[in-house]
Amino acid sequence: MQRQVALIKKSLFDQGYLDEQFMELEELQDDANPNFVEEVATLYFKDSIRLINSIDQALERGSFDFNRLDNYMHQFKGSSTSIGASKVKTECTMFREYCRVGNAEGCLRIFQQVKKEHATLRKKLEHYFQLARQAGPKETARRSK
Amino acid sequence: MILFLCYITTGLLLLIRDCNEFLSFCHKHIFLEVFFAMAGEVPNLAESKLTALVVDDNFVNQSIHHKLLDRLGIKNDVVCNGQEAVDVHCSGRNYDLILMDMDMPIMNGIQATKRLREMGIESKIAGVTTRAEEEEVKEFMEAGLNDFQEKPLTISKLVSILRNLDFYVQA
């Protein structure tokens, strides 16, 4: 089971979904907070879904307030960077570029990619954390405090 | 002949042992310093009784920065924007270190830093933000920061802040 967890984690890195920042978070796990990374990831997805909904609503209105859209995406990108969500971060960067040049069509198109990568990452991480919990504390708590 | 070779071998082994002990005696401390530096040993500053304030509107970053400080043994509080940072100081609280985000609602990091300095707050303030354009950093620094780090914050970046601000001197 632990080997399976390790393989899944490796594939998340190899396929570019996660970067070294995720490992930095894992280093913060200890006996006092053995599920720290999962807790942070849960916070991230809760917050990012709120931002996605806000951006969706703004885009559906049809009036492109690029400053507002950029502000939302700045927050989204910040959170994604903080947990090591590499592909999501890349798409966020591209969205902000389109905002910067005022390209509405580009924003719409890229935002679909942002949502797609976000949904994929969420599914994969949920699966990973579920297995990690089943595998036991060896895979989750990396150190004693 | 065999005895002679054994004698030489034993002598060499003793010499190596003595050299190792000598080197060990002289360089143990330096070796450990280098080893721990390379291994990224995380210092525990609990004995120093440092306190810190995390100022960030993003819940993910709040959680991470709180945990980073916790890991280094630094007791810390968290607030959501610059206004809350000012309010907490108005209530009489004081901190050795403030980790200040730049972009926040109500009162951003630049405004909050200026305000805290105007109030006479002498805490060390480190700006922590994703914005890294030279002009933006300059404006933030000129507001009254003591140090600056680009997000995402990591243990090594936080140790760097502590070192730059003389809170941590590596042995």
Side-chain angles (χ1 to χ4, degrees):
Chain A
M1 176 71 87
Q2 283 168 0
R3 186 174 143 75
Q4 195 183 357
V5 171
L7 283 171
I8 288 172
K9 187 164 83 170
K10 187 176 181 304
S11 77
L12 287 170
F13 282 95
D14 290 346
Q15 291 170 32
Y17 289 104
L18 297 175
D19 61 31
E20 64 277 0
Q21 180 62 16
F22 191 84
M23 291 196 282
E24 291 280 345
L25 298 186
E26 287 191 313
E27 285 298 315
L28 295 177
Q29 288 194 146
D30 52 30
D31 289 343
N33 293 108
N35 301 315
F36 175 70
V37 182
E38 187 178 356
E39 288 165 11
V40 172
T42 303
L43 264 175
Y44 166 70
F45 286 115
K46 188 177 167 188
D47 193 47
S48 54
I49 284 165
R50 177 186 62 82
L51 288 166
I52 284 174
N53 289 339
S54 297
I55 296 171
D56 254 330
Q57 285 166 22
L59 291 174
E60 275 169 20
R61 277 198 289 270
S63 57
F64 285 83
D65 182 345
F66 290 108
N67 271 341
R68 177 179 279 213
L69 288 171
D70 184 62
N71 279 338
Y72 284 138
M73 197 50 82
H74 172 73
Q75 292 175 55
F76 194 164
K77 184 186 166 187
S79 297
S80 303
T81 306
S82 292
I83 75 149
S86 183
K87 285 193 180 188
V88 177
K89 181 177 78 173
T90 301
E91 300 300 336
C92 290
T93 302
M94 289 175 67
F95 182 96
R96 295 192 71 198
E97 272 306 304
Y98 282 119
C99 283
R100 197 177 61 80
V101 299
N103 185 333
E105 192 190 316
C107 284
L108 281 167
R109 186 166 31 88
I110 282 296
F111 189 54
Q112 299 311 310
Q113 281 300 110
V114 169
K115 289 198 284 188
K116 180 175 166 248
E117 292 298 346
H118 179 265
T120 304
L121 179 66
R122 187 179 178 193
K123 195 172 165 189
K124 286 183 181 289
L125 278 181
E126 278 175 356
H127 176 57
Y128 167 71
F129 287 129
Q130 186 183 18
L131 280 179
R133 267 185 266 120
Q134 287 169 14
K138 192 177 178 183
E139 274 302 321
T140 50
R142 286 186 54 86
R143 60 174 69 225
S144 299
K145 203 167 182 184
Chain B
M1 183 66 177
I2 293 170
L3 280 173
F4 177 72
L5 285 172
C6 286
Y7 176 80
I8 295 294
T9 307
T10 307
L12 284 170
L13 287 171
L14 286 170
L15 181 62
I16 289 167
R17 184 203 67 185
D18 289 342
C19 285
N20 276 340
E21 282 179 4
F22 177 75
L23 287 171
S24 180
F25 175 76
C26 289
H27 296 122
K28 182 180 176 185
H29 186 63
I30 297 168
F31 172 79
L32 282 174
E33 281 178 29
V34 171
F35 175 79
F36 285 130
M38 289 172 67
E41 180 74 5
V42 177
N44 190 324
L45 300 171
E47 277 187 18
S48 63
K49 303 244 188 281
L50 287 173
T51 58
L53 179 67
V54 173
V55 188
D56 201 310
D57 63 320
N58 182 293
F59 294 135
V60 173
N61 290 331
Q62 283 179 7
S63 180
I64 294 171
H65 296 178
H66 170 74
K67 186 65 181 172
L68 281 168
L69 289 161
D70 211 40
R71 171 53 59 83
L72 295 181
I74 299 173
K75 288 200 183 301
N76 62 97
D77 293 330
V78 178
V79 293
C80 296
N81 57 62
Q83 185 61 59
E84 289 186 13
V86 169
D87 291 344
V88 84
H89 281 86
C90 286
S91 73
R93 297 294 298 271
N94 227 314
Y95 302 89
D96 299 297
L97 171 67
I98 300 171
L99 295 181
M100 184 76 76
D101 183 25
M102 187 192 277
D103 295 300
M104 294 178 287
I106 304 173
M107 186 185 285
N108 66 33
I110 292 175
Q111 294 163 335
T113 302
K114 281 183 184 169
R115 185 73 188 278
L116 288 171
R117 292 307 189 208
E118 283 164 9
M119 286 164 60
I121 301 298
E122 294 180 346
S123 310
K124 303 287 189 186
I125 306 178
V128 186
T129 174
T130 51
R131 296 195 187 272
E133 295 290 326
E134 200 178 317
E135 281 302 314
E136 291 169 324
V137 174
K138 185 165 175 272
E139 190 187 358
F140 204 0
M141 289 296 298
E142 283 174 355
L145 295 183
N146 300 99
D147 197 15
F148 174 90
Q149 273 288 352
E150 199 180 335
K151 279 179 183 170
L153 204 59
T154 60
I155 280 279
S156 60
K157 285 183 184 180
L158 183 54
V159 169
S160 174
I161 289 173
L162 295 170
R163 222 182 268 130
N164 290 345
L165 300 180
D166 295 328
F167 285 126
Y168 169 58
V169 178
Q170 196 163 9

